[in-house]
Amino acid sequence: MALGRVAILTSILGAAFASAVSARTPPPPVQAGKIDPVCSGQQSPAVVRGERQLAIVSRLAAAHVTPASKQSAYLMAYFKDDTHSLYFATSRDGHAFTDVNAGRPILSGRSIADQKGIRDPHIMRGPDGAFYMAMTDLHVFGQRDCVRTTQWERPEQDYGWGNNRNMLLMKSVDLLHWTLAKVDVSRLFPTYSQAGNAWAPETIYNPKTRRMMVYFTTRIRNGPNFMVSSEANAAFTTLTTVPRKILDYPRPQVNTIDADITLIGGKYRMFYVAHEKPGSIRQAVSNQIDRGYVYDARKIDPETVAAEAPNLWRRHGTNIWVLMYDVFGVTPNNMGFAETTDFVTFRNIGRFNDPGSPMKATNFVQPKHGAVMAVTPEEAARLERYFGGAR
């Protein structure tokens, strides 16, 4: 989650947010307790009644470990601004991605989130064979879309743009049936009782604790954003340790957001966003999963406009790593891609469906804040069958 993620001008937030770039303004505020005339009629749901969705369950079957050698396909989770809901797209070659539900939501934000909208989905496979997904509980157009009578959940002057309370944690063993938990950091930990947000949660396995580590962006009230980590319980339903800062940026007044951490060759590589006019993607490296990241001032993404939401994934059977990111500085927004083998040079391979780019979105447009993980062809096919395939 980030200031530019909805591509709207947010200069009213002051200097701390001045570097965010936008392309449209938010709807005018509606006085608390008043009903916008637009909301008096029937509202269009994000999901058509009766349309198949992922199943939310209270318990899961045992997970099975699948060798990495069999994980030759790809699954991308993403969301869209117009629905604030979850989408899946699959690929067999890591270049052409096809939405499993023909560009329609596979899980409605209205059905699972307190704010009736989700953002920033991240998905990964744990060493136990289970799948872990984390999302932001936030609807940035909640007032306009008639799911909230105020512009934000709490006053903007106190808690900032896009303030929210919950992150959503989900776990599955088959990609179809998921447990769901809402985690409010401000209620769990007194130190964060005045947290203004819990944005863009991601998950990585911590071999030292043998638990899943959840890391995310937060701030205290309306202060600068920074990134923290905490350990999850085995059921992946709550956080158990007080979140601690994972990166000391040299200019603490600059918003740092959207961490994405991957273990490569014994080192943890963190890609993240620093809002340094415009927001751009940086890299930091550490020998430890939750601390010791060394600041590197170099801009990583090849974009000339603002980008955010970095996500790193490997092409199967190669040493080529793909850095994917949300290019919110263009209208309409798109996902951009760069490849690297040494993490020093990053080759720009374009955006989805750009002329000359190998990256294709075959049946969907304007994906936001995506995450890709490796799956088996059988797992991809199971998802496609469940939703009826591309239509």
Side-chain angles (χ1 to χ4, degrees), residues 248-327:
D248 289 316
Y249 197 74
R251 292 175 293 284
Q253 74 277 10
V254 172
N255 291 288
T256 53
I257 63 173
D258 292 358
D260 181 82
I261 300 172
T262 307
L263 177 63
I264 303 169
K267 292 184 179 295
Y268 292 95
R269 293 189 177 272
M270 177 199 295
F271 291 89
Y272 68 99
V273 177
H275 279 281
E276 291 273 23
K277 297 181 182 180
S280 58
I281 296 169
R282 310 295 177 96
Q283 180 179 196
V285 182
S286 176
N287 293 321
Q288 302 180 77
I289 194 170
D290 60 351
R291 68 196 73 182
Y293 285 91
V294 178
Y295 169 75
D296 186 334
R298 287 175 295 179
K299 177 180 179 293
I300 297 298
D301 66 275
E303 298 291 337
T304 58
V305 297
E308 61 186 11
N311 178 244
L312 187 73
W313 46 278
R314 186 176 65 86
R315 294 202 182 280
H316 180 73
T318 75
N319 67 339
I320 298 172
W321 292 84
V322 180
L323 181 66
M324 181 174 73
Y325 40 85
D326 186 337
V327 189

Side-chain angles (χ1 to χ4, degrees), residues 116-256:
K116 308 304 179 186
I118 64 93
R119 300 175 72 82
D120 321 325
H122 179 264
I123 190 167
M124 59 90 66
R125 187 195 303 261
D128 58 352
F131 302 99
Y132 295 85
M133 190 155 53
M135 297 179 284
T136 307
D137 183 330
L138 173 63
H139 198 313
V140 302
F141 297 133
Q143 185 183 49
R144 182 199 69 183
D145 290 353
C146 305
V147 297
R148 188 170 56 238
T149 59
T150 55
Q151 187 173 12
W152 304 116
E153 189 176 46
R154 292 169 291 175
E156 182 175 332
Q157 65 269 23
D158 297 326
Y159 293 97
W161 183 96
N163 63 75
N164 75 311
R165 295 182 184 276
N166 294 337
M167 67 179 71
L168 303 177
L169 301 183
M170 303 181 68
K171 185 176 180 180
S172 176
V173 298
D174 62 2
L175 294 172
L176 303 178
H177 302 83
W178 295 82
T179 58
L180 169 68
K182 300 173 184 178
V183 179
D184 184 341
V185 175
S186 68
R187 289 192 171 97
L188 274 178
F189 306 107
T191 305
Y192 289 89
S193 63
Q194 293 299 307
N197 60 1
W199 284 350
E202 293 200 8
T203 308
I204 185 173
Y205 178 70
N206 187 341
K208 290 185 178 180
T209 63
R210 297 183 180 179
R211 291 289 178 90
M212 305 307 293
M213 186 183 90
V214 178
Y215 53 102
F216 56 98
T217 300
T218 191
R219 62 175 175 251
I220 303 303
R221 292 179 67 84
N222 197 11
N225 292 293
F226 57 96
M227 301 171 296
V228 298
S229 70
S230 176
E231 299 293 318
N233 65 339
F236 204 59
T237 57
T238 191
L239 302 180
T240 61
T241 60
V242 178
R244 57 176 292 166
K245 199 171 185 179
I246 56 174
L247 176 70
D248 289 316
Y249 197 74
R251 292 175 293 284
Q253 74 277 10
V254 172
N255 291 288
T256 53

Side-chain angles (χ1 to χ4, degrees), residues 31-78:
Q31 186 178 353
K34 302 294 185 180
I35 301 299
D36 189 322
V38 176
C39 297
S40 60
Q42 182 68 32
Q43 298 303 303
S44 299
V47 175
V48 176
R49 182 174 302 210
E51 188 165 38
R52 178 162 285 188
Q53 298 275 279
L54 295 180
I56 303 300
V57 298
S58 59
R59 63 177 62 182
L60 299 172
H64 299 282
V65 177
T66 302
S69 60
K70 295 185 177 181
Q71 299 170 30
S72 61
Y74 307 83
L75 171 64
M76 181 173 74
Y78 67 97

Side-chain angles (χ1 to χ4, degrees), residues 281 301-303 307-311 313 322-328 330 333-339 347-352 354 357 359 367:
I281 296 169
D301 66 275
E303 298 291 337
E308 61 186 11
N311 178 244
W313 46 278
V322 180
L323 181 66
M324 181 174 73
Y325 40 85
D326 186 337
V327 189
F328 71 89
V330 295
N333 66 277
N334 202 346
M335 303 301 295
F337 303 85
E339 291 182 336
R347 184 174 70 93
N348 184 8
I349 59 171
R351 305 168 188 160
F352 269 143
D354 274 358
S357 174
M359 304 304 298

Side-chain angles (χ1 to χ4, degrees), residues 96-130:
F97 284 80
T98 299
D99 189 283
V100 300
N101 199 27
R104 295 190 294 271
I106 59 161
L107 189 59
S108 166
R110 294 194 182 202
S111 68
I112 62 170
D114 278 1
Q115 286 207 30
K116 308 304 179 186
I118 64 93
R119 300 175 72 82
D120 321 325
H122 179 264
I123 190 167
M124 59 90 66
R125 187 195 303 261
D128 58 352

